[in-house]
Amino acid sequence: MSTLQKKPKRHIAELVWLRTVACLMIVAVHAVESVIHFASAEQMDSSYRLLYPLIMFMKLATPLFIFISAFLLAHAYHVKTPEHFLRKRAKYLLIPYVIIAVVYAVLEAVYAGFSSAVLAERLWKNIVLAEFHGYFILTIFQFYILHQWIAPYLNRWKATVVIPVALVINAAYLAFFNLMQPFAILNAETFWQFLWWVPFPAWVFYYVTAYYAGRNVEEFRDRLSRNRLKVIGGSLLSVILFFILYSSKILPVNSSKNVIVLIYALPVMLLMFYLASVIRSKPPTLLNWIASLSFGIFLLHSLCQKVAFSALQSALPGLALPLQIIVLFVAGAAGAMLLTYMISLLPFGTFIIGKINLPKRASIQPAGRPTASGEG
């Protein structure tokens, strides 16, 4: 067999479920955060403050997207990548990154009272400092670069050695930036505020774990099935420990870059994958659509929510917080899906929302069935 290890394209059913969950989690988190940010002290009574740990739990979405991307990458090319691998991905990742960064910069400048100075500042922060949710694209692209170099070694090294080492590196990196104050050097504060979570060490544990899982999907499924009680129990215990640590305010960093996310992220992801594999059927049509359009939803949901929130404040300024959250969630999910689909029909649509495979063209591999390697 060629060292390229490239086989016919197929999506893996479990990843459709995981991608959908991750996508909707991100939309939900931003819906809740938008409402809370502008809520008055009177509106934010004790019952709503319970949302904070729930929001923090749903920060799992970013590590989950890293896991899915790395899983597919290893599944398709676990030894060697093809020619023009990076060029193709730069076209469908970096170009959309720049375009969407510009779109959000313009929108933010308009809301701030448009001026060339404000626009220039927002362009600089979005494109160069990655000060918007699109930073995730830069992180993923780093793993594409890293994969070309490290995959042959990971293929030879034992997972039982590599995964713990990656965990230590990842935890040490996050803990350093969670706990340390910026050094007294040029641009240190800027790096601490916006950039430190972009480099791959902030996420390397998820990449390495996903590599070994995606390299042999059938073995991964089998291991989860045989150890299902450990998977379920470990996930529950990790979530309980997470809530205890988060409530203690030991590390108040309210993001997916909080080191304590490492405690529960992988156990919960393994449980999700196991539950999806137990279903042993093709995902429902709606899930296939959400998963297929997930990259566009990720890029555009915040845009739809900003517009919806402005409309709410103008038309229904006294709307109850729960209803505001529901409206923003629906606007972020359904609005971004519709917008992504419409853009995908344009000749240049792939340069805005990336390359997508709509469900009617996707070949879905049911969970638990024989595996055909491929990149989704």
Side-chain angles (χ1 to χ4, degrees), residues 7 55 57 93 117 121 151 253 313 374:
K7 298 178 182 178
I55 293 171
F57 174 78
L93 284 178
E121 179 185 9
V253 180
Q313 295 305 300

Side-chain angles (χ1 to χ4, degrees), residues 138-193:
L138 301 183
T139 300
I140 290 296
F141 197 77
Q142 287 177 74
F143 281 117
Y144 287 143
I145 297 172
L146 178 68
H147 188 80
Q148 290 193 308
W149 169 72
I150 202 173
Y153 297 99
L154 293 179
N155 195 50
R156 297 196 301 266
W157 295 341
K158 292 183 178 180
T160 52
V161 175
V162 177
I163 292 177
V165 170
L167 176 58
V168 170
I169 293 173
N170 205 150
Y173 182 87
L174 294 181
F176 177 83
F177 286 101
N178 284 178
L179 298 171
M180 298 294 292
Q181 295 299 314
F183 298 143
I185 58 176
L186 183 64
N187 295 324
E189 188 169 347
T190 298
F191 188 81
W192 249 260
Q193 286 182 336

Side-chain angles (χ1 to χ4, degrees), residues 62-265:
T62 304
L64 185 52
F65 267 129
I66 297 284
F67 182 88
I68 293 167
S69 301
F71 190 105
L72 288 168
L73 183 60
H75 188 51
Y77 314 109
H78 66 265
V79 177
K80 185 179 179 181
T81 55
E83 190 178 0
H84 306 310
F85 174 79
L86 288 180
R87 183 187 304 175
K88 179 180 177 182
R89 278 146 187 81
K91 184 191 304 183
Y92 299 125
L93 284 178
L94 298 186
I95 294 178
Y97 167 80
V98 173
I99 291 176
I100 297 300
V102 171
V103 169
Y104 279 105
V106 171
L107 181 65
E108 290 157 0
V110 169
Y111 282 133
F114 190 87
S115 70
S116 57
V118 172
L119 177 60
E121 179 185 9
R122 291 313 314 171
L123 287 172
W124 169 261
K125 288 184 175 181
N126 283 8
I127 298 174
V128 180
L129 301 183
E131 193 189 331
F132 79 116
H133 62 280
Y135 78 85
F136 173 82
I137 297 173
L138 301 183
T139 300
I140 290 296
F141 197 77
Q142 287 177 74
F143 281 117
Y144 287 143
I145 297 172
L146 178 68
H147 188 80
Q148 290 193 308
W149 169 72
I150 202 173
Y153 297 99
L154 293 179
N155 195 50
R156 297 196 301 266
W157 295 341
K158 292 183 178 180
T160 52
V161 175
V162 177
I163 292 177
V165 170
L167 176 58
V168 170
I169 293 173
N170 205 150
Y173 182 87
L174 294 181
F176 177 83
F177 286 101
N178 284 178
L179 298 171
M180 298 294 292
Q181 295 299 314
F183 298 143
I185 58 176
L186 183 64
N187 295 324
E189 188 169 347
T190 298
F191 188 81
W192 249 260
Q193 286 182 336
F194 307 121
L195 288 172
W196 66 267
W197 52 78
V198 175
F200 71 87
W203 314 96
V204 68
F205 172 63
Y206 306 113
Y207 162 78
V208 168
T209 306
Y211 172 86
Y212 288 107
R215 189 178 66 173
N216 191 328
V217 179
E218 283 303 314
E219 181 182 352
F220 180 57
R221 286 176 179 144
D222 183 60
R223 283 177 176 269
L224 291 180
S225 179
R226 285 188 284 108
N227 296 281
R228 56 187 174 275
L229 294 180
K230 293 180 181 178
V231 170
I232 296 171
S235 177
L236 293 175
L237 288 175
S238 69
V239 170
I240 292 172
L241 179 58
F242 155 73
F243 279 114
I244 291 173
L245 291 175
Y246 181 72
S247 300
S248 69
K249 306 295 183 183
I250 295 175
L251 289 173
V253 180
N254 192 27
S255 78
S256 57
K257 283 75 71 175
N258 190 322
V259 68
I260 66 173
V261 173
L262 288 168
I263 293 173
Y264 76 93

